[in-house]
Amino acid sequence: MRPSRSIYFVSLLCSSPLIAGPCDPEVLLGPASTRFLGSSSEPARIVTADLDADGNADLIVAEKFADRVSVHLGLGDGTFAPASHFSTGDQPVGLAIVDFDGDSHLDIATGNQNDSSVTILLGDGMGGFVSGGNYDAGFFVTPDDLACADFDGDNDIDIVTSSQGNSVRVMLNNGDGSFALPVFVNILSSVNSVAVGSLNNDTIPDIVATGLTTNEVFVLLGLGNGAFSAPVAFDTSNGPRDVQIADINDDGHMDLVVAHTFDDLVGVHLGNSTGVFAPAINSTLGTGLLEVQPADMDGDGNPDLMAATFGTFPQAIAMVRGNGDGTFSSQSDFPSGNGPVSIVIADFDNDSGPDVAAVHSASNDLYIYLNQCPPNFCGCNPADLAAPCGSLDFFDVSAFLSAFIAMDPVADFAAPFGTFNFFDVSAFLIAFNNGCP
């Protein structure tokens, strides 16, 4: 949708390449704040959830060589309380946060690499945890990744783990946060990443697994009773390491996003809600790609991709902006610690913008990047500053002028940033004139 009145006469004064407002990819994330996790902790995975129900996003980190998880309770302003630590099995790598025992408090599950076990930590709703037991995941499982859903329709959350033993293992919840023996689901490849979601619109959770040794991604459709259809393989690029489920092209169908370690490609397999996926649309994203997370980072309505890229030098996390059709624009890098291995996206400072947290296995630290997009950016384009979101009108112009007069960063649309002048006005008008999709 385009604005109701033309303002091309101002747009002619400044060409669009000069626009570099807060949502420009090069400056989208501010400088990271850091916290040290401990010598030789080697963090392997980070996830986010509101553990203490205070409305603020918290962070949970699996610290592989410390045999523990650290819990960092969010304060709602982009900072976090000092970490609390809780013991796990030997070398936690997989990590998931759900309510396993039905008490409305979030619990933690870790997949422990060195003893092929799953640790359950039961939450108290205030950020504290007690042991819910260690469970044998099976011989040669090395559960590097976990995903959770109600696979058998009994309203309890179950677990699926990756496995190097040519399978995934499904652990059904007994209803009280304890688990039955793992069920072996055969896959003809070593699996190092799993994801769950409804891929055929029947509301029954399905499983996606990456086949590292065969360069395939496998889809197992859920039957609703804890069992699954035979895996269907789709070819990927070289070394599929991580898989995520998201609607990348906004057609209402879930797609697969696969990160590949060996050729540094991210592949998007577009879905059609039947459990069948198209050949990958591949894009380059960093070097040594370990993990990818989709989110609309710049508020344009298209999912972007953030990635942990272990082999990028200088060390960085990477982003590509989505075009809305399964393809992505050029890469932007944000300086990181040494050895970024896992990232997570959430609003840590409660300004409605998606922020990023990353952990680094070599420097043993956690970086938190706050999004610099205007906090009241509605989402159709950077000039969409006021309700009704999705249209550009007098209210957006008024919001910009008020912010400009007050020297609010919301109106800081153009370089040099930190000053408010003709270039900001011109950049806003160009964005306004470009309209909404």
Side-chain angles (χ1 to χ4, degrees), residues 335-362:
S336 73
N338 190 10
V341 292
S342 183
I343 60 174
V344 70
I345 299 170
D347 181 11
F348 300 128
D349 55 359
N350 290 324
D351 69 350
S352 300
D355 308 309
V356 179
V359 289
H360 309 93
S361 63

Side-chain angles (χ1 to χ4, degrees), residues 18-350:
L18 295 180
I19 296 178
C23 288
D24 184 277
E26 299 303 323
V27 294
L28 187 144
L29 296 181
S33 60
T34 66
R35 55 172 48 193
F36 186 60
L37 298 174
S39 299
S40 302
S41 62
E42 192 167 321
R45 191 68 54 90
I46 185 170
V47 297
T48 186
D50 184 5
L51 298 176
D52 53 358
D54 66 350
N56 300 323
D58 309 314
L59 293 172
I60 307 91
V61 179
E63 299 183 17
K64 179 178 176 180
F65 285 158
D67 296 339
R68 68 187 186 186
V69 294
S70 58
V71 171
H72 310 255
L73 296 180
L75 302 180
D77 59 358
T79 65
F80 294 81
S84 301
H85 299 97
F86 303 92
S87 296
T88 67
D90 194 356
Q91 297 187 7
V93 176
L95 186 60
I97 312 294
V98 296
D99 178 12
F100 289 119
D101 57 359
D103 64 354
S104 299
H105 302 320
L106 291 176
D107 310 310
I108 297 174
T110 66
N112 308 309
Q113 190 178 74
N114 206 42
D115 61 7
S116 294
S117 71
V118 172
T119 295
I120 303 297
L121 298 170
L122 299 177
D124 62 8
M126 297 180 289
F129 295 85
V130 297
S131 176
N134 275 14
Y135 295 87
D136 185 2
F139 177 71
F140 201 53
V141 171
T142 57
D144 292 346
D145 199 15
L146 304 176
C148 301
D150 180 11
F151 296 125
D152 55 359
D154 63 356
N155 297 317
D156 303 315
I157 303 300
D158 311 307
I159 299 173
V160 59
T161 77
S162 62
S163 170
Q164 291 187 12
N166 290 4
S167 66
V168 295
R169 304 296 173 98
V170 175
M171 301 171 60
L172 297 180
N173 194 329
N174 294 322
D176 58 359
S178 66
F179 291 84
L181 292 174
V183 176
F184 177 95
V185 182
N186 186 49
I187 291 177
L188 297 178
S189 181
S190 176
V191 174
N192 59 355
S193 179
V194 290
V196 298
S198 180
L199 302 178
N200 57 352
N201 274 355
D202 63 358
T203 72
I204 298 172
D206 309 309
I207 296 173
V208 182
T210 56
L212 180 65
T213 50
T214 59
N215 294 328
E216 294 170 309
V217 62
F218 296 89
V219 172
L220 298 87
L221 298 179
L223 303 180
N225 59 357
F228 297 84
S229 65
V232 177
F234 299 91
D235 291 336
T236 70
S237 192
N238 191 15
R241 174 62 183 255
D242 183 48
V243 61
Q244 303 291 336
I245 299 171
D247 183 4
I248 296 297
N249 60 343
D250 195 29
D251 64 354
H253 306 305
M254 290 295 105
D255 310 310
L256 305 182
V257 183
V258 184
H260 305 89
T261 297
F262 299 147
D263 56 12
D264 306 322
L265 296 176
V266 59
V268 173
H269 299 257
L270 298 178
N272 59 13
S273 291
T274 66
V276 175
F277 293 87
I281 303 171
N282 288 318
S283 303
T284 301
L285 181 53
T287 304
L289 192 55
L290 295 184
E291 187 174 295
V292 65
Q293 295 289 346
D296 182 9
M297 297 299 300
D298 55 5
D300 66 353
N302 299 324
D304 311 306
L305 298 180
M306 296 293 310
T309 55
F310 193 88
T312 299
F313 293 98
Q315 297 276 259
I317 61 171
M319 184 187 80
V320 287
R321 298 178 77 178
N323 298 321
D325 58 359
T327 65
F328 297 87
S329 66
S330 59
Q331 178 178 323
S332 300
D333 291 334
F334 302 94
S336 73
N338 190 10
V341 292
S342 183
I343 60 174
V344 70
I345 299 170
D347 181 11
F348 300 128
D349 55 359
N350 290 324

